[in-house]
Amino acid sequence: MSGRLLPRRNAAIAFILVTALLDVMSMGIVIPVLPQLIETLSGSSSGAGLWNGLFVALWAGMQFVCSPIIGSLSDRFGRRPVILISICGLMLDYVLMALAPNLWWLAVGRLLAGVTSSSFTSVFAYMADITAPEDRARGYGLIGAAFSAGFVAGPLLGGILGEVSLRAPFWVAAGMSALAFIYGVFVLPESLPPEKRMAFSWRRANPFGALTLLRSHRELSGLAVVNFLLYFAHHLFSAVFVLYAGDRYGWGAWQVGSLLALVGLLDMGVQGLLVGPVVQRIGDRRTMVIGLAFGAIGIACMGLAPTGWMFVAAMLPNALWGLAMPTIQSLMTRRVSESEQGQLQGANNSVASIAGIVSPLFFGGVYALSVGADPTLPFIGSAFLIAAAVLGGAALLGWLAGRRDSSDGRLLLDNDAVGH
């Protein structure tokens, strides 16, 4: 397993990347039209805002509950059946939402979307199965690049399809999921041998039980906190970016959409091209810390930028933030056994879901206090500066979260993390 991705697994790796791309594209396609469809079904713009917030909470809540279950099921029955069933479920979910006659049916669709999207836990576990520990950061970087490509292409395609019909993006998303399912049936091999599987247990599969895994080793606990802080800071953009861009720089939908596409392209380049070479040169942990540090610098510059062009320029150092996510994942996978990779990814996804619920509320509140005729916080970029401080703290904690072998500088693994 040393030095490269495992031989004769190219088809499996390609499938995982195609699956990630199609899944994220199918999610991104509906982003431009879902609020409009909600408004059409509710018959009220104010009611649409409430329903849209509820749908976001439903999706994140189901991710929190179901990610550990999906991950544990993949530890018990293997990655292949769980991934394929999840993709099939996602396809049926998009068909349901395309046909939804009212908001209640659409709410059921968002609940199912939260469940089936939890297959990402199995995708990350699959990559851990088929890559050597020293190559996992590169593998996760490729998945991250596929995610970024999906987030660039999906909303753009959804916007075009939405001009035809508000239902059209849902049908195309269902078609993409169907394509991924058919491709997987014929291409995807199983990555977890039967002798390395773990019996399913509700004690481990429930979200709170899964989180106990993150407390099983001191270094793993520290990395889990770093992971939470990273997601917490990242949701700054979903919470306030559009409002901030309009209020401070006067940007409209076209400028915001173009900038988001540029962000996706930069992230795709960093995770797809830079992660592997940088990790080979300086190691996972240093790469993670550098990524978090540059993310903090970039966000701080965004908050301080007096002009739109300076904000765009700050995206360049901020793009190196993409070095952090794959390396955090890589470091965490080294601290659990092969039979616990699914449970680990489920726990990580639950942590991300908690951040996804709490962070937008927090940063939305901070932004509300920093705008208006008589703001409580005198600086409109306060939310960005707070997010930068969060990432700076994550970088410091990430540096302290691992132990290093003084003889050769490699990351030490606890014996109980690889041998039980």
Side-chain angles (χ1 to χ4, degrees):
M1 292 174 59
S2 61
R4 299 289 176 208
L5 297 175
L6 292 179
R8 296 192 296 274
R9 296 295 181 91
N10 289 338
I13 295 167
F15 172 80
I16 288 299
L17 297 180
V18 169
T19 299
L21 174 64
L22 291 177
D23 276 3
V24 174
M25 278 191 67
S26 66
M27 294 178 195
I29 281 176
V30 305
I31 288 175
V33 298
L34 182 59
Q36 298 179 56
L37 182 59
I38 292 172
E39 184 174 357
T40 299
L41 292 176
S42 68
S44 166
S45 58
S46 59
L50 294 175
W51 277 99
N52 194 48
L54 175 62
F55 286 175
V56 171
L58 286 175
W59 188 89
M62 294 308 295
Q63 286 271 297
F64 173 74
V65 172
C66 294
S67 292
I69 297 175
I70 298 295
S72 293
L73 286 173
S74 75
D75 286 338
R76 170 63 183 88
F77 297 105
R79 318 297 184 202
R80 185 177 189 271
V82 172
I83 291 174
L84 291 178
I85 291 172
S86 296
I87 293 173
C88 185
L90 194 62
M91 174 192 67
L92 296 175
D93 173 61
Y94 284 123
V95 172
L96 171 65
M97 288 195 288
L99 297 172
N102 54 53
L103 287 171
W104 295 108
W105 279 103
L106 204 60
V108 172
R110 296 311 293 164
L111 284 171
L112 293 177
V115 175
T116 52
S117 298
S118 299
S119 63
F120 288 142
T121 62
S122 300
V123 168
F124 280 106
Y126 194 108
M127 186 61 80
D129 293 339
I130 64 175
T131 54
E134 63 269 21
D135 289 321
R136 284 177 187 162
R138 174 174 174 260
Y140 288 137
L142 293 175
I143 292 178
F147 283 176
S148 298
F151 276 120
V152 171
L156 291 176
L157 181 58
I160 295 172
L161 293 170
E163 295 296 322
V164 178
S165 166
L166 292 180
R167 307 277 183 165
F170 294 93
W171 288 112
V172 173
M176 287 184 170
S177 296
L179 181 63
F181 175 78
I182 294 171
Y183 180 46
V185 167
F186 292 102
V187 173
L188 183 67
E190 180 53 63
S191 65
L192 187 65
E195 66 272 12
K196 293 182 178 178
R197 297 177 187 178
M198 178 179 287
F200 181 83
S201 167
W202 283 109
R203 180 178 59 83
R204 293 193 306 271
N206 75 82
F208 300 102
L211 293 175
T212 61
L213 177 66
L214 301 179
R215 301 199 304 267
S216 60
H217 310 292
R218 184 181 63 183
E219 295 85 0
L220 193 60
S221 299
L223 290 169
V225 175
V226 172
N227 203 32
F228 173 81
L229 294 176
L230 184 149
Y231 278 109
F232 186 89
H234 191 269
H235 281 288
L236 163 78
F237 294 97
S238 61
V240 306
F241 169 66
V242 175
L243 297 173
Y244 177 81
D247 290 340
R248 189 164 194 187
Y249 306 120
W251 289 345
W254 183 86
Q255 291 95 330
V256 170
S258 299
L259 196 61
L260 289 175
L262 178 58
V263 169
L265 290 172
L266 289 172
D267 194 53
M268 184 169 56
V270 169
Q271 296 204 51
L273 300 176
L274 285 185
V275 170
V278 174
V279 167
Q280 284 188 345
R281 193 170 190 86
I282 65 175
D284 282 322
R285 191 162 63 102
R286 289 181 178 176
T287 303
M288 173 189 68
V289 172
I290 289 173
L292 292 169
F294 272 99
I297 293 170
I299 290 183
C301 291
M302 288 176 179
L304 296 171
T307 66
W309 285 112
M310 294 184 70
F311 185 96
V312 173
M315 291 168 54
L316 296 178
N318 183 255
L320 294 178
W321 189 359
L323 295 172
M325 180 64 72
T327 44
I328 292 174
Q329 291 278 354
S330 175
L331 288 168
M332 295 182 80
T333 61
R334 299 189 187 200
R335 287 170 166 79
V336 300
S337 66
E338 293 180 67
S339 61
E340 294 175 309
Q341 294 295 334
Q343 185 185 357
L344 171 65
Q345 297 304 330
N348 280 339
N349 216 28
S350 289
V351 167
S353 299
I354 295 172
I357 295 171
V358 176
S359 177
L361 295 174
F362 173 80
F363 284 119
V366 170
Y367 188 75
L369 295 174
S370 62
V371 294
D374 187 21
T376 304
L377 298 174
F379 183 55
I380 191 173
S382 296
F384 284 83
L385 299 184
I386 292 173
V390 169
L391 276 187
L396 177 60
L397 181 60
W399 180 253
L400 299 174
R403 296 178 300 168
R404 301 185 67 82
D405 187 325
S406 59
S407 62
D408 61 7
R410 291 179 300 178
L411 186 68
L412 288 174
L413 297 179
D414 292 332
N415 291 332
D416 61 350
V418 295
H420 60 274

